[in-house]
Amino acid sequence: MRPLYLDAYDRGILEERVERAHRVLENCRLCPRNCKVNRLKGEKGVCKTGAQAEVSSYGPHYGEERPLVGRGGSGTIFLTNCNLLCVFCQNYEISHLGEGYQVTPGVMAGMMMDLQKQGCHNINLVTPTHVVPQILSALLIAIPSGLNVPLVYNCSGYEEVETLRLLDGIIDIYMPDFKFWEPEKAKRYCKAPDYPEKAKEALREMHRQVGELVTDSGGIALRGLLVRHLVMPDNVAGTKEILNFIANEISRNTYVNIMNQYRPCGKAFEFREIARPLSRGEYLAALQWAKEAGLSRLD
Ligand code: SF4
């Protein structure tokens, strides 16, 4: 299966999307924060990112979902900064404190090519939402150099549908988190009470674009939607409702990774209810809810 972006490139669609996406940066509303700052002039909003993308590291990664990793690994590019900023982030230095360095589109394209040459099965863009225009510019350079592995959009789920539409026909694999069901929780931990609504809209749009996960005969992901959900202490995430939403309003055949690795990081110790790791019982309850919801494609 040919990556979608090759067609978009051949038909001139990618070039047009690069221009449209960069225009959004003049009055930035790439994500639901809707900061309306002129990032092309160096102004910064919630994501603290100006005109250029920043990267903290890149390389083959073997800890991602099985269909992304295979033998060659997933070619991750960790983008610096974030538009959601959870207080318990495991990558606090990168997302909140801005650990990383600025890269031009040419440098990012070089990273993509390097990962492909190393045998990675895909290019996995980690926390890409606030730098969609810069990623598209890099793609425009990487494609004529021979890029031909699927692109993975690995995001928090706090997305603007209009921005996702700029990626329609370009991104092969969407891998959003669905973090919180209740607005009050999203407000408490991310200052984003509209997160649940935006994540629901985003999942619907992603599924419309790429459908359910499709793999090759070796089980390597080629296209489709994978959803991640981190189970949290005290059920602050609203796991049961989220799994029911995925099963009933997206598809029972959705590939879902129910994650058990929560541990308090960043500022989590300032919030008593999440200042402890997840218990085994809490995780088993989440798996049971998935089963009851009819979800069977679990990572
Ligand atoms: S991408 Fe950054 S500047 Fe733009 S709206 Fe989102 S948080 Fe604000």
Side-chain angles (χ1 to χ4, degrees):
M1 193 181 272
R2 200 172 128 92
L4 289 167
Y5 57 77
L6 294 178
D7 244 26
Y9 179 82
D10 290 346
R11 293 164 57 203
I13 293 171
L14 179 59
E15 204 171 342
E16 178 212 317
R17 299 280 178 87
V18 169
E19 279 169 29
R20 276 172 54 193
H22 276 82
R23 278 204 297 274
V24 179
L25 288 176
E26 282 175 12
N27 184 30
C28 192
R29 51 202 188 283
L30 275 181
C31 85
R33 298 285 185 195
N34 204 8
C35 300
K36 294 191 172 142
V37 293
N38 188 340
R39 290 176 53 186
L40 296 180
K41 288 198 172 152
E43 291 172 15
K44 294 179 182 176
V46 172
C47 66
K48 296 184 227 146
T49 309
Q52 286 217 320
E54 294 173 45
V55 167
S56 70
S57 66
Y58 79 102
H61 193 24
Y62 297 89
E64 299 288 85
E65 283 69 3
R66 265 180 303 124
L68 298 182
V69 170
R71 285 193 178 173
S74 180
T76 44
I77 300 179
F78 287 94
L79 283 318
T80 297
N81 298 329
C82 178
N83 70 322
L84 185 58
L85 298 167
C86 306
V87 292
F88 51 83
C89 183
Q90 284 181 25
N91 299 315
Y92 201 85
E93 290 75 15
I94 300 169
S95 57
H96 286 248
L97 304 180
E99 196 178 277
Y101 51 95
Q102 288 193 345
V103 292
T104 61
V107 170
M108 199 193 294
M111 292 173 179
M112 292 176 179
M113 292 311 297
D114 189 21
L115 292 165
Q116 178 172 291
K117 279 189 197 125
Q118 290 187 55
C120 294
H121 298 288
N122 45 67
I123 303 301
N124 182 348
L125 303 154
V126 185
T127 322
T129 310
H130 57 299
V131 284
V132 161
Q134 295 86 342
I135 289 168
L136 293 177
S137 292
L139 203 52
L140 205 53
I141 299 170
I143 293 169
S145 308
L147 189 74
N148 62 8
V149 291
L151 271 190
V152 184
Y153 189 87
N154 178 348
C155 67
S156 68
Y158 195 40
E159 310 295 311
E160 200 55 78
V161 167
E162 251 183 76
T163 303
L164 294 175
R165 296 229 165 104
L166 291 171
L167 300 170
D168 192 3
I170 291 169
I171 293 294
D172 300 287
I173 298 168
Y174 281 104
M175 186 161 66
D177 284 320
F178 196 152
K179 289 172 180 286
F180 306 106
W181 184 255
E182 290 175 16
E184 311 81 70
K185 299 289 193 298
K187 184 177 174 199
R188 179 162 168 81
Y189 305 120
C190 307
K191 298 194 178 85
D194 57 345
Y195 174 88
E197 220 34 61
K198 293 293 177 181
K200 284 184 223 169
E201 286 172 13
L203 260 66
R204 287 194 185 101
E205 172 62 16
M206 291 170 180
H207 185 253
R208 184 195 68 76
Q209 287 184 23
V210 296
E212 289 156 13
L213 189 72
V214 175
T215 62
D216 67 11
S217 55
I220 300 295
L222 298 174
R223 189 170 300 163
L225 175 71
L226 287 92
V227 182
R228 282 177 164 176
H229 174 68
L230 179 66
V231 187
M232 293 197 55
D234 248 20
N235 194 24
V236 300
T239 297
K240 189 173 184 179
E241 290 78 3
I242 287 174
L243 295 174
N244 282 336
F245 168 83
I246 295 169
N248 299 331
E249 299 200 34
I250 303 296
S251 156
R252 280 192 171 72
N253 204 29
T254 305
Y255 191 101
V256 184
N257 183 5
I258 302 176
M259 302 185 292
N260 65 355
Q261 67 259 44
Y262 179 83
R263 59 195 163 85
C265 296
K267 296 206 162 147
F269 286 105
E270 294 173 18
F271 299 80
R272 203 166 48 89
E273 67 283 9
I274 59 166
R276 64 164 173 91
L278 191 72
S279 74
R280 187 162 181 274
E282 285 171 318
Y283 185 62
L284 292 177
L287 294 183
Q288 182 61 28
W289 290 329
K291 204 171 150 194
E292 286 167 12
L295 294 166
S296 56
R297 277 182 98 184
L298 302 181
D299 192 76

Short mmCIF file of all heavy atoms in Angstrom, two decimals, residues 77-112:
data_model
loop_
_atom_site.label_atom_id
_atom_site.label_comp_id
_atom_site.label_asym_id
_atom_site.label_seq_id
_atom_site.Cartn_x
_atom_site.Cartn_y
_atom_site.Cartn_z
N ILE A 77 10.31 10.81 15.83
CA ILE A 77 10.88 12.16 15.93
C ILE A 77 10.11 12.83 17.07
O ILE A 77 8.89 13.03 16.97
CB ILE A 77 10.71 12.96 14.62
CG1 ILE A 77 11.42 12.24 13.46
CG2 ILE A 77 11.25 14.38 14.79
CD1 ILE A 77 11.31 12.94 12.11
N PHE A 78 10.81 13.10 18.18
CA PHE A 78 10.17 13.71 19.35
C PHE A 78 10.20 15.23 19.20
O PHE A 78 11.27 15.83 19.29
CB PHE A 78 10.89 13.29 20.63
CG PHE A 78 10.65 11.87 21.03
CD1 PHE A 78 11.52 10.87 20.64
CD2 PHE A 78 9.53 11.52 21.78
CE1 PHE A 78 11.30 9.55 20.98
CE2 PHE A 78 9.30 10.19 22.13
CZ PHE A 78 10.18 9.21 21.73
N LEU A 79 9.04 15.81 18.96
CA LEU A 79 8.96 17.25 18.84
C LEU A 79 8.92 17.88 20.23
O LEU A 79 8.26 17.35 21.14
CB LEU A 79 7.70 17.66 18.07
CG LEU A 79 7.67 17.52 16.53
CD1 LEU A 79 8.96 17.97 15.87
CD2 LEU A 79 7.29 16.15 16.07
N THR A 80 9.63 18.98 20.37
CA THR A 80 9.68 19.70 21.65
C THR A 80 8.42 20.56 21.83
O THR A 80 7.85 21.03 20.86
CB THR A 80 10.93 20.59 21.66
OG1 THR A 80 12.07 19.75 21.58
CG2 THR A 80 11.01 21.46 22.90
N ASN A 81 8.04 20.78 23.09
CA ASN A 81 6.87 21.56 23.48
C ASN A 81 5.58 20.79 23.19
O ASN A 81 5.62 19.72 22.58
CB ASN A 81 6.83 22.95 22.82
CG ASN A 81 8.04 23.79 23.21
OD1 ASN A 81 8.56 23.65 24.31
ND2 ASN A 81 8.50 24.66 22.31
N CYS A 82 4.47 21.37 23.62
CA CYS A 82 3.19 20.64 23.54
C CYS A 82 2.05 21.63 23.65
O CYS A 82 2.20 22.68 24.28
CB CYS A 82 3.12 19.62 24.69
SG CYS A 82 1.58 18.68 24.76
N ASN A 83 0.91 21.30 23.08
CA ASN A 83 -0.24 22.20 23.19
C ASN A 83 -1.19 21.78 24.30
O ASN A 83 -2.13 22.47 24.59
CB ASN A 83 -1.00 22.27 21.86
CG ASN A 83 -1.72 20.97 21.54
OD1 ASN A 83 -1.21 19.88 21.81
ND2 ASN A 83 -2.89 21.06 20.97
N LEU A 84 -0.95 20.61 24.93
CA LEU A 84 -1.88 20.16 25.97
C LEU A 84 -1.30 20.35 27.38
O LEU A 84 -1.97 20.85 28.27
CB LEU A 84 -2.29 18.70 25.73
CG LEU A 84 -3.36 18.17 26.68
CD1 LEU A 84 -4.63 19.01 26.62
CD2 LEU A 84 -3.69 16.71 26.37
N LEU A 85 -0.06 19.91 27.58
CA LEU A 85 0.66 20.18 28.83
C LEU A 85 -0.01 19.58 30.07
O LEU A 85 -0.41 20.30 31.00
CB LEU A 85 0.84 21.71 29.00
CG LEU A 85 1.68 22.37 27.90
CD1 LEU A 85 1.54 23.89 27.95
CD2 LEU A 85 3.15 21.97 27.98
N CYS A 86 -0.10 18.25 30.11
CA CYS A 86 -0.63 17.56 31.29
C CYS A 86 0.34 17.73 32.46
O CYS A 86 1.56 17.62 32.28
CB CYS A 86 -0.79 16.07 31.02
SG CYS A 86 -1.76 15.70 29.56
N VAL A 87 -0.19 17.91 33.65
CA VAL A 87 0.69 18.13 34.81
C VAL A 87 1.53 16.88 35.13
O VAL A 87 2.58 16.98 35.75
CB VAL A 87 -0.10 18.51 36.09
CG1 VAL A 87 -0.73 19.88 35.94
CG2 VAL A 87 -1.15 17.46 36.44
N PHE A 88 1.05 15.70 34.69
CA PHE A 88 1.73 14.44 35.05
C PHE A 88 2.60 13.92 33.91
O PHE A 88 2.98 12.75 33.91
CB PHE A 88 0.69 13.38 35.43
CG PHE A 88 -0.40 13.23 34.41
CD1 PHE A 88 -0.22 12.43 33.29
CD2 PHE A 88 -1.60 13.91 34.55
CE1 PHE A 88 -1.21 12.29 32.33
CE2 PHE A 88 -2.61 13.78 33.59
CZ PHE A 88 -2.41 12.97 32.48
N CYS A 89 2.92 14.77 32.94
CA CYS A 89 3.62 14.31 31.73
C CYS A 89 4.91 13.53 32.06
O CYS A 89 5.72 13.97 32.87
CB CYS A 89 3.94 15.50 30.83
SG CYS A 89 4.72 14.99 29.30
N GLN A 90 5.08 12.40 31.37
CA GLN A 90 6.29 11.59 31.55
C GLN A 90 7.50 12.23 30.88
O GLN A 90 8.63 11.86 31.15
CB GLN A 90 6.10 10.22 30.90
CG GLN A 90 5.24 9.28 31.69
CD GLN A 90 5.11 7.91 31.01
OE1 GLN A 90 5.96 7.51 30.24
NE2 GLN A 90 4.04 7.22 31.31
N ASN A 91 7.24 13.14 29.95
CA ASN A 91 8.34 13.82 29.25
C ASN A 91 8.33 15.31 29.59
O ASN A 91 8.40 16.16 28.71
CB ASN A 91 8.18 13.64 27.73
CG ASN A 91 8.24 12.19 27.34
OD1 ASN A 91 9.10 11.43 27.80
ND2 ASN A 91 7.31 11.77 26.50
N TYR A 92 8.24 15.60 30.85
CA TYR A 92 8.04 16.97 31.33
C TYR A 92 9.11 17.94 30.80
O TYR A 92 8.81 19.05 30.40
CB TYR A 92 8.06 16.96 32.87
CG TYR A 92 7.39 18.16 33.49
CD1 TYR A 92 6.02 18.20 33.70
CD2 TYR A 92 8.14 19.28 33.86
CE1 TYR A 92 5.41 19.31 34.27
CE2 TYR A 92 7.53 20.39 34.43
CZ TYR A 92 6.17 20.39 34.63
OH TYR A 92 5.57 21.50 35.17
N GLU A 93 10.36 17.48 30.78
CA GLU A 93 11.46 18.36 30.34
C GLU A 93 11.27 18.77 28.88
O GLU A 93 11.59 19.88 28.49
CB GLU A 93 12.83 17.66 30.48
CG GLU A 93 13.31 17.46 31.90
CD GLU A 93 12.59 16.34 32.62
OE1 GLU A 93 11.92 15.52 31.94
OE2 GLU A 93 12.65 16.28 33.86
N ILE A 94 10.75 17.84 28.09
CA ILE A 94 10.58 18.11 26.66
C ILE A 94 9.30 18.93 26.41
O ILE A 94 9.31 19.93 25.70
CB ILE A 94 10.49 16.78 25.87
CG1 ILE A 94 11.78 15.96 26.07
CG2 ILE A 94 10.24 17.04 24.40
CD1 ILE A 94 11.66 14.53 25.57
N SER A 95 8.21 18.51 27.04
CA SER A 95 6.92 19.13 26.73
C SER A 95 6.73 20.46 27.45
O SER A 95 6.25 21.43 26.85
CB SER A 95 5.78 18.18 27.09
OG SER A 95 5.89 17.82 28.45
N HIS A 96 7.12 20.52 28.71
CA HIS A 96 6.88 21.76 29.50
C HIS A 96 8.10 22.67 29.50
O HIS A 96 7.97 23.90 29.50
CB HIS A 96 6.55 21.40 30.95
CG HIS A 96 5.19 20.84 31.15
ND1 HIS A 96 4.19 21.50 31.82
CD2 HIS A 96 4.65 19.67 30.77
CE1 HIS A 96 3.09 20.75 31.85
NE2 HIS A 96 3.36 19.62 31.22
N LEU A 97 9.29 22.08 29.59
CA LEU A 97 10.49 22.91 29.79
C LEU A 97 11.24 23.19 28.49
O LEU A 97 12.25 23.89 28.49
CB LEU A 97 11.42 22.25 30.83
CG LEU A 97 10.77 21.94 32.19
CD1 LEU A 97 11.76 21.30 33.16
CD2 LEU A 97 10.16 23.20 32.81
N GLY A 98 10.77 22.61 27.40
CA GLY A 98 11.31 22.99 26.09
C GLY A 98 12.68 22.44 25.76
O GLY A 98 13.44 23.07 25.00
N GLU A 99 13.01 21.26 26.30
CA GLU A 99 14.31 20.67 25.99
C GLU A 99 14.34 20.26 24.51
O GLU A 99 13.52 19.45 24.08
CB GLU A 99 14.50 19.43 26.87
CG GLU A 99 15.91 18.94 26.97
CD GLU A 99 15.97 17.73 27.92
OE1 GLU A 99 16.04 17.94 29.14
OE2 GLU A 99 15.90 16.60 27.42
N GLY A 100 15.28 20.80 23.76
CA GLY A 100 15.37 20.47 22.34
C GLY A 100 16.07 21.58 21.58
O GLY A 100 16.57 22.53 22.17
N TYR A 101 16.09 21.45 20.25
CA TYR A 101 16.78 22.44 19.42
C TYR A 101 15.95 22.70 18.17
O TYR A 101 15.21 21.84 17.71
CB TYR A 101 18.19 21.95 19.05
CG TYR A 101 18.21 20.54 18.48
CD1 TYR A 101 18.19 20.35 17.10
CD2 TYR A 101 18.20 19.42 19.29
CE1 TYR A 101 18.19 19.08 16.55
CE2 TYR A 101 18.20 18.13 18.75
CZ TYR A 101 18.19 17.98 17.38
OH TYR A 101 18.17 16.71 16.85
N GLN A 102 16.09 23.92 17.65
CA GLN A 102 15.31 24.30 16.47
C GLN A 102 15.81 23.56 15.24
O GLN A 102 17.02 23.35 15.09
CB GLN A 102 15.44 25.80 16.23
CG GLN A 102 14.68 26.61 17.25
CD GLN A 102 14.54 28.08 16.84
OE1 GLN A 102 15.22 28.55 15.94
NE2 GLN A 102 13.67 28.78 17.53
N VAL A 103 14.89 23.17 14.38
CA VAL A 103 15.28 22.52 13.13
C VAL A 103 14.58 23.19 11.95
O VAL A 103 13.41 23.58 12.05
CB VAL A 103 14.93 21.01 13.13
CG1 VAL A 103 15.76 20.24 14.14
CG2 VAL A 103 13.44 20.76 13.37
N THR A 104 15.30 23.31 10.86
CA THR A 104 14.68 23.80 9.62
C THR A 104 13.93 22.62 8.99
O THR A 104 14.19 21.45 9.33
CB THR A 104 15.76 24.26 8.63
OG1 THR A 104 16.59 23.12 8.33
CG2 THR A 104 16.61 25.39 9.20
N PRO A 105 13.04 22.90 8.04
CA PRO A 105 12.37 21.78 7.34
C PRO A 105 13.39 20.84 6.69
O PRO A 105 13.19 19.62 6.69
CB PRO A 105 11.51 22.49 6.29
CG PRO A 105 11.23 23.83 6.88
CD PRO A 105 12.47 24.20 7.65
N GLY A 106 14.48 21.38 6.18
CA GLY A 106 15.50 20.54 5.56
C GLY A 106 16.12 19.57 6.56
O GLY A 106 16.34 18.39 6.24
N VAL A 107 16.38 20.04 7.75
CA VAL A 107 16.96 19.16 8.78
C VAL A 107 15.95 18.09 9.18
O VAL A 107 16.29 16.92 9.33
CB VAL A 107 17.43 19.99 10.00
CG1 VAL A 107 17.79 19.09 11.17
CG2 VAL A 107 18.62 20.87 9.61
N MET A 108 14.69 18.48 9.33
CA MET A 108 13.68 17.48 9.70
C MET A 108 13.52 16.44 8.57
O MET A 108 13.38 15.24 8.83
CB MET A 108 12.32 18.13 10.02
CG MET A 108 11.45 17.19 10.83
SD MET A 108 9.72 17.68 10.95
CE MET A 108 9.82 19.17 11.89
N ALA A 109 13.57 16.90 7.34
CA ALA A 109 13.49 15.96 6.20
C ALA A 109 14.67 14.98 6.26
O ALA A 109 14.51 13.79 6.01
CB ALA A 109 13.50 16.73 4.89
N GLY A 110 15.85 15.48 6.62
CA GLY A 110 17.03 14.62 6.75
C GLY A 110 16.83 13.55 7.83
O GLY A 110 17.24 12.41 7.68
N MET A 111 16.17 13.93 8.91
CA MET A 111 15.87 12.96 9.97
C MET A 111 14.95 11.86 9.44
O MET A 111 15.14 10.68 9.71
CB MET A 111 15.18 13.65 11.16
CG MET A 111 16.08 14.59 11.91
SD MET A 111 15.11 15.49 13.15
CE MET A 111 16.41 16.48 13.88
N MET A 112 13.94 12.28 8.70
CA MET A 112 13.00 11.30 8.14
C MET A 112 13.75 10.31 7.24
O MET A 112 13.55 9.10 7.34
CB MET A 112 11.90 12.02 7.32
CG MET A 112 10.96 12.86 8.14
SD MET A 112 9.79 13.75 7.06
CE MET A 112 8.80 14.62 8.27
#
